[in-house]
Amino acid sequence: MLKEAIYHRPKNEFAYAFDEKTVHIRLRTKKGDAETVFLIYGDPYGWEQGKWMTKREKMKKIGNDALFDYWFLAVTPPYRRLRYGFEIHSTKQKIFYGEKGFFDRVPDEDIANFFCFPFINGEDLFQAPEWVKNTVWYQIFPERFANGNKENDPPGTLPWASAEPASDNFFGGDLEGIIGKLDYLSDLGINGIYLTPIFKAASNHKYDTIDYFEIDPQFGDKKTFKRLVDECHRRGIRIMLDAVFNHCGFYFPPFQDVLKNGERSKYKDWFFIREFPVQTEPHPNYDTFAFTPFMPKLNTENKEVRKYLLEVGQYWVKEFDIDGWRLDVANEVSHQFWREFRKAVRRVKKDVYILGEIWHDAMPWLGGDQFDAVMNYPFSKGALQFFAEEKIDGKTFSEMIQQVLFSYPEYINHFAFNLLGSHDTARIQNIAGFHQGKVKLLFAFLLSFPGSPCIYYGDEIGLTGENDPGCRKCMEWDPRKQNLDLYRTVKKLIELRKTHPIMANDGAISFPELKEGTEQVIFHKENERELLVAAMNRSEKPVRLLLDIPFDQVEREYTDLWENKKEKIEESQFPADIGPFGFKFFLFQKK
């Protein structure tokens, strides 16, 4: 066996307390290397007559990515503490792996050779709002969703959808417009709204905040926003706001004071000014978001800045009862600030959802002391490359998605903010080459995958657009110009997700191994009562798949969820006929 590929480390995604009684243990080995893995474990103080008392239990191979296999076992230590190691078997070799390395036998005479999980402390458990697991989000770019009050239109507002979106044009979308469309969202099945920034700012996107305590006048006022929140809550819809604490806008009053007064400004330490006088051209001599002089970076280590921003976090929760914060450029702000932010907003409301914008491996932010989840862009990339762009085959896609899942503890995957597109990416219609079969497959995968899925406004009716600013078109409200067939598909998928919890987060997901070149993807979701088998065909040709079903564990009768009909298994193997760019969900009841 290739020892260099074998990996485990406690207190991260490889060993974590799942709840107050259970520890989840994972091990990584080279793909195809190990045939069987046993976990040897015991209480560190459990000795009898000079011998350490241990158990030996077989681990389950739960999946693989391109390079590695992953093994899993849930353990319930009687005293909430654990020492453990791994006995790994191949066809030719048996080795023991522990904290001190590799051994030819189990070195149980000294428990220092074993990994240590010292104690399951209740206050260290990952605690995220349970409601998020049952939420289907809808992201709204307020300026382009609906114009409900023309009196607050900014100067130069264009007639709705009369021009292509640009970085500097306005169409009058506002909060009143969103209120007027809540019944549309409820009918679709949406129960969570994520609003990009609504605070006072100069741009149409509002990521250049001027005042964090004020609604931008072009969107309305606080009274209107309070009505929006109340109307949403009355319909069972949660509201999440977007905040930019990494940087502010150029016209943020403290930064304007620095521009005016230079070193004499009392706000000079609110920012990272490298020298005075402050200059914006040819390059800013202060830290910014990227290199734009219009978004100066905030110094969140400054006590006054920290106090100001923490008050912002609490204010909108306390005064308006919002349900979540989406935090822009979250990875460039200090971990300590986010720890304090979590405590501050949770003091006001215990079940506020805290979501970070992080595009890469986010485990350092997901230890239970900062964020509940991050925007799952690795999920987006894999889904788009397979279903929309046909850049990878089903085998590669399956391995990519499993790598995403194994990057985090199981419970974090239940709260992951899964998306296909956003205000920062091209529309899925454009990426899929306007192929409606591919777009439907994307939604089928999104809405049957663990996590908390999000739909970017208009994607459900076929809105198009390239990268920013093209992806920020005005919402199309004329039914004659909407893709109503796509809308009905998305609505039905959401309904299935809500009707059958196993379509959402009530089940452990696994992917059977596929052959190279396949244009299909298959996954299973399983709980104590049910088995869901999903099969998706990216090919323009129909296909018959022979699915592996544990016939000794499930009833012969199953339900085709998409067709809403019951069938019986008659053969020793389960043949599934999937049409071109089609998908199926088969639900089996366990014996």
Side-chain angles (χ1 to χ4, degrees), residues 101-298:
F102 296 96
F103 299 82
D104 293 329
R105 61 174 183 82
V106 178
D108 54 1
E109 69 279 354
D110 184 357
I111 63 172
N113 293 312
F114 290 72
F115 291 105
C116 181
F117 197 96
F119 197 80
I120 303 176
N121 290 291
E123 65 180 2
D124 290 336
L125 293 174
F126 183 86
Q127 296 178 342
E130 282 294 310
W131 58 265
V132 176
K133 294 195 291 188
N134 299 311
T135 300
V136 177
W137 295 95
Y138 192 86
Q139 180 188 353
I140 293 177
F141 191 82
E143 215 284 317
R144 306 288 163 76
F145 188 63
N147 188 343
N149 182 4
K150 294 186 179 296
E151 293 183 4
N152 59 26
D153 289 358
T157 295
L158 300 172
W160 194 255
S162 61
E164 291 298 311
S167 60
D168 58 355
N169 59 7
F170 293 85
F171 296 92
D174 52 27
L175 299 178
E176 194 71 52
I178 298 172
I179 293 173
K181 301 299 182 182
L182 289 179
D183 287 344
Y184 166 85
L185 296 177
S186 291
D187 182 68
L188 179 59
I190 298 301
N191 56 358
I193 295 175
Y194 153 39
L195 297 175
T196 56
I198 60 173
F199 307 132
K200 186 177 181 181
S203 66
N204 56 28
H205 57 72
K206 308 303 177 191
Y207 282 97
D208 52 341
T209 311
I210 293 174
D211 191 336
Y212 290 83
F213 287 96
E214 290 296 333
I215 302 288
D216 193 286
Q218 80 165 89
F219 291 155
D221 54 24
K222 291 179 178 177
K223 183 178 179 181
T224 306
F225 179 62
K226 185 65 170 69
R227 185 157 56 89
L228 170 61
V229 176
D230 291 344
E231 286 294 323
C232 284
H233 287 173
R234 187 170 66 83
R235 292 171 171 81
I237 299 174
R238 308 275 183 162
I239 284 280
M240 179 166 62
L241 293 185
D242 200 332
V244 192
F245 294 158
N246 174 70
H247 56 268
C248 63
F250 188 80
Y251 299 102
F252 183 50
F255 188 69
Q256 287 293 305
D257 190 274
V258 174
L259 290 178
K260 179 181 179 180
N261 298 307
E263 286 190 272
R264 300 188 307 277
S265 172
K266 65 179 181 179
Y267 298 107
K268 66 177 182 178
D269 293 329
W270 280 43
F271 309 94
F272 295 95
I273 314 295
R274 294 192 287 274
E275 59 185 1
F276 291 95
V278 176
Q279 67 178 37
T280 60
E281 299 293 342
H283 302 289
N285 61 352
Y286 49 91
D287 290 355
T288 65
F289 168 68
F291 294 106
T292 171
F294 302 106
M295 295 182 179
K297 183 175 175 62
L298 289 163

Side-chain angles (χ1 to χ4, degrees), residues 135 137 353 355 373-380 404-405 412-421 445-456 497 505:
T135 300
W137 295 95
Y353 182 48
L355 172 69
V374 296
M375 300 184 77
N376 198 354
Y377 282 108
F379 166 92
S380 315
V404 174
L405 290 168
I412 287 177
N413 293 323
H414 294 165
F415 299 95
F417 194 83
N418 299 330
L419 67 163
L420 299 171
F445 190 73
L446 171 73
L447 292 165
S448 59
F449 197 76
S452 196
C454 181
I455 298 168
Y456 185 42
R497 185 180 179 90
N505 290 294

Side-chain angles (χ1 to χ4, degrees), residues 492 496 500 532 557-567 574 577-578 583-588:
K492 185 175 179 179
L496 284 178
H500 301 278
L532 177 73
E557 185 177 74
Y558 67 91
T559 303
D560 181 330
L561 293 181
W562 190 249
E563 300 295 336
N564 192 27
K565 61 182 181 181
K566 292 186 180 295
E567 302 281 357
F574 179 53
D577 292 315
I578 316 294
F583 54 87
K584 291 282 189 178
F585 300 107
F586 303 110
L587 183 63
F588 295 83

Side-chain angles (χ1 to χ4, degrees), residues 36-78:
T36 311
V37 177
F38 294 91
L39 186 74
I40 298 172
Y41 65 95
D43 186 284
Y45 303 100
W47 293 76
E48 291 184 10
Q49 298 179 347
K51 183 180 179 181
W52 185 40
M53 307 307 295
T54 62
K55 292 183 178 181
R56 181 174 179 267
E57 196 166 346
K58 190 175 181 179
M59 299 185 74
K60 180 181 180 181
K61 182 179 172 181
I62 56 171
N64 58 268
D65 56 27
L67 298 175
F68 305 109
D69 289 330
Y70 295 87
W71 306 81
F72 171 82
L73 186 66
V75 178
T76 305

Side-chain angles (χ1 to χ4, degrees), residues 392-423:
I392 56 176
D393 63 7
K395 179 178 186 293
T396 304
F397 173 59
S398 174
E399 292 169 348
M400 285 179 67
I401 290 299
Q402 289 181 85
Q403 186 178 51
V404 174
L405 290 168
F406 299 143
S407 294
Y408 304 110
E410 181 182 341
Y411 50 69
I412 287 177
N413 293 323
H414 294 165
F415 299 95
F417 194 83
N418 299 330
L419 67 163
L420 299 171
S422 74
H423 63 289

